[in-house]
Amino acid sequence: MNPADKVDIEVDLEEATFTDIEWDEQEPQRRHGDARVASVQSKVDSVKSQMHENIVLALENTAKTEELHEASLELVDEAAIFREQSRRTRRAMMMRNMKWAAILLLVVGILAAAGFGIFHHG
């Protein structure tokens, strides 16, 4: 080192103000503050990431819920159609059974009448 450089350094130190020295004393605190800020920022980023995932899941669940709602509405419509068709089928079967019962009664009546000789002339 050159002696002239030493003088410059000494002059620089003599010209240093109290605030410059104070700043140097606060540097470890500032570094600690920076670490705290980085820690808080890391936590904020983690929470933001988790919230983003939660929002994505909520949107997916909403879409699935809408699909289920639409499917249930279709099932309600299909149930109403099934109920009406089964009512018609039941009525048709009842009418067919009544026709067969009427035919059977007619046949039994004719046979009974023939058995008693109602249709005999003589």
Side-chain angles (χ1 to χ4, degrees), residues 113-114 116-122:
F116 290 116
I118 296 178
F119 295 111
H120 278 288
H121 296 286

Side-chain angles (χ1 to χ4, degrees), residues 5-107:
D5 291 335
K6 264 187 171 180
V7 172
D8 287 338
I9 293 172
E10 288 174 12
V11 169
D12 287 340
L13 288 176
E14 288 176 5
E15 291 176 1
T17 64
F18 181 69
T19 56
D20 291 336
I21 294 171
E22 208 172 1
W23 184 80
D24 288 339
E25 288 175 0
Q26 292 178 356
E27 183 62 28
Q29 292 174 349
R30 184 166 295 171
R31 275 190 237 133
H32 178 67
D34 289 346
R36 285 177 50 194
V37 167
S39 173
V40 169
Q41 184 62 44
S42 173
K43 290 177 184 175
V44 167
D45 290 342
S46 174
V47 168
K48 281 173 53 177
S49 174
Q50 185 64 45
M51 289 303 296
H52 179 73
E53 290 175 20
N54 290 345
I55 290 170
V56 168
L57 285 174
L59 291 174
E60 288 174 359
N61 288 339
T62 300
K64 289 177 184 176
T65 301
E66 288 174 0
E67 290 173 11
L68 284 173
H69 180 69
E70 290 174 11
S72 67
L73 290 177
E74 288 177 18
L75 284 174
V76 167
D77 291 342
E78 289 174 9
I81 292 169
F82 177 79
R83 190 172 24 257
E84 184 60 31
Q85 287 177 344
S86 64
R87 188 176 298 141
R88 284 188 207 146
T89 303
R90 186 174 57 242
R91 287 180 185 159
M93 293 301 293
M94 187 175 68
M95 292 304 291
R96 184 196 297 170
N97 288 339
M98 288 175 70
K99 287 177 189 175
W100 280 109
I103 291 170
L104 183 63
L105 281 174
L106 183 63
V107 169

